[in-house]
Amino acid sequence: STEQMAQDAAALLKELKVRKTHVVGLAMGALAAQHLAADHPELIDRLVLAAAYAKADDHIAGLVSQWQNTARDEGMEDLFDSCVDWLFSPEYVNDTSGEVEKLRTFFSLNLQKPAAFVLQSAAGVKHDGTRKLHAIQSPTLVLHGDGDRIVSWDLSNQVASGIPDGRLKVMERAPHFMSWERSEEHTSELQSH
């Protein structure tokens, strides 16, 4: 679950004797980071949640179900091909095939087992941070790409609105994996927060 991921992250921070830190979560990481910030406010200085939602909608649940079926039935390399167009803009996929191929190589070298992917992605669909958003005390930047085809603006706005010191920033033409495709702008937003 995303709560278990957050507990693992908290245990690691404590083991490393990190007293307080900035936390950036993208996609699944943003879900776990919500729990981390709500349950362990003493560990978090500033928080950034990118491509985040508090609870999956039918669109996300349906898409993840398709990806789970692909992983189980066709394998993880076919899953990569199914996901690329959802994670990046069409222009990026068509114009920078070398970058996508680099990511494909990284994905292949670190190939997750289909069963592990199914469980991990199910955690994202089951995630419900709606009751915990109000407990997040740290200043929080919620980054949303207006080219994100997975997480809608409404879902990102719900996260920002639910956090007492939350602020939504929309990155123009940024896809779901904004940190990869729009790395300079993404980094600039992180540094200014």
Side-chain angles (χ1 to χ4, degrees), residues 63-79:
L63 190 57
V64 169
S65 178
Q66 291 173 20
W67 290 346
Q68 290 171 333
N69 290 335
T70 299
R72 276 191 296 258
D73 300 341
E74 300 169 33
M76 295 301 288
E77 291 184 351
D78 285 345
L79 174 66

Side-chain angles (χ1 to χ4, degrees), residues 30-41 44-49 54 127 129-142 159-160 162-166:
L31 308 183
Q34 291 170 39
H35 290 296
L36 178 63
D39 296 341
H40 299 279
I44 311 302
D45 185 9
R46 293 185 175 274
L47 180 65
V48 177
L49 304 172
H127 169 78
T130 53
R131 292 187 182 103
K132 288 191 174 181
L133 293 177
H134 73 279
I136 297 174
Q137 299 172 10
S138 48
T140 303
L141 173 63
V142 178
V159 171
I163 298 171
D165 194 4

Side-chain angles (χ1 to χ4, degrees), residues 8-152:
D8 290 347
L12 177 62
L13 290 170
K14 289 175 182 178
E15 178 67 23
L16 295 172
K17 298 186 182 1
V18 174
R19 293 179 187 223
K20 202 162 194 129
T21 189
H22 303 308
V23 172
V24 179
L26 170 70
M28 179 73 74
L31 308 183
Q34 291 170 39
H35 290 296
L36 178 63
D39 296 341
H40 299 279
E42 75 283 0
L43 294 173
I44 311 302
D45 185 9
R46 293 185 175 274
L47 180 65
V48 177
L49 304 172
Y53 56 86
K55 187 173 181 178
D57 61 7
D58 290 341
H59 169 69
I60 292 170
L63 190 57
V64 169
S65 178
Q66 291 173 20
W67 290 346
Q68 290 171 333
N69 290 335
T70 299
R72 276 191 296 258
D73 300 341
E74 300 169 33
M76 295 301 288
E77 291 184 351
D78 285 345
L79 174 66
F80 180 89
D81 294 331
S82 297
C83 292
V84 166
D85 291 336
W86 289 96
L87 302 175
F88 302 102
S89 70
E91 298 79 19
Y92 187 80
V93 172
N94 293 330
D95 297 343
T96 58
S97 61
E99 289 299 309
V100 172
E101 287 308 311
K102 286 180 195 175
L103 186 57
R104 182 188 312 278
T105 299
F106 177 78
F107 183 82
S108 296
L109 291 172
N110 298 283
L111 209 56
Q112 186 178 30
K113 293 183 179 179
F117 170 78
V118 169
L119 290 172
Q120 182 183 30
S121 59
V125 172
K126 292 175 185 174
H127 169 78
D128 188 349
T130 53
R131 292 187 182 103
K132 288 191 174 181
L133 293 177
H134 73 279
I136 297 174
Q137 299 172 10
S138 48
T140 303
L141 173 63
V142 178
L143 287 176
H144 176 74
D146 71 356
D148 191 333
R149 297 176 53 217
I150 300 172
V151 178
S152 70

Side-chain angles (χ1 to χ4, degrees), residues 152-163:
S152 70
W153 176 88
D154 290 340
L155 293 178
S156 290
N157 187 51
Q158 179 188 22
V159 171
S161 299
I163 298 171

